[in-house]
Amino acid sequence: MNDKIKINLQIADSNYPLTINREEEQTVREAAKQVNIRLNKYREVYKNLEPEKIIAMVAYQFSLEKLQLMQRNDTSPYVEKVKELTELLEDYFKEE
């Protein structure tokens, strides 16, 4: 069964027709809403700035936040330390 739906999103005064999975609709609409909220905040503060620059600033802000979250959730240093400790324990118990 095809569980795709067609929706229209309005972002930055433009309409974007999308075909998405039904279960993603709420998330997709919330993402568009968050973009528009940020755009409107920047438009209020930077009234004389070109729309392309405002959109670039919003994209940068979202990208920065995503990278910060990815760094915060990076577990690779912990995984490496656990491997190291596991090897130490295995070596210790082999000697016993």
Side-chain angles (χ1 to χ4, degrees):
M1 183 175 162
N2 189 354
D3 207 18
K4 302 267 187 196
I5 60 171
K6 293 183 179 188
I7 64 171
N8 283 305
L9 293 181
Q10 185 172 359
I11 302 173
D13 303 323
S14 295
N15 286 315
Y16 298 91
L18 296 175
T19 301
I20 61 168
N21 292 324
R22 183 176 303 280
E23 65 270 7
E24 295 175 336
E25 181 180 8
Q26 184 176 355
T27 304
V28 169
R29 290 191 185 279
E30 182 61 28
K33 179 181 174 184
Q34 292 301 315
V35 169
N36 285 322
I37 288 170
R38 297 258 175 110
L39 278 168
N40 291 332
K41 284 182 182 179
Y42 274 108
R43 285 175 176 162
E44 287 175 18
V45 174
Y46 302 104
K47 293 181 172 138
N48 296 327
L49 203 59
E50 297 88 6
E52 302 83 33
K53 290 188 177 185
I54 292 176
I55 290 170
M57 291 170 68
V58 170
Y60 166 76
Q61 188 176 17
F62 277 115
S63 180
L64 179 62
E65 288 174 10
K66 179 181 185 263
L67 290 171
Q68 289 169 335
L69 284 172
M70 287 172 59
Q71 288 173 351
R72 190 178 321 153
N73 291 327
D74 182 14
T75 60
S76 59
Y78 305 108
V79 170
E80 291 302 315
K81 192 64 175 173
V82 167
K83 284 181 184 177
E84 179 184 324
L85 292 171
T86 301
E87 289 173 9
L88 283 171
L89 285 171
E90 287 174 350
D91 290 345
Y92 175 79
F93 288 115
K94 283 180 187 175
E95 294 173 4
E96 293 279 316

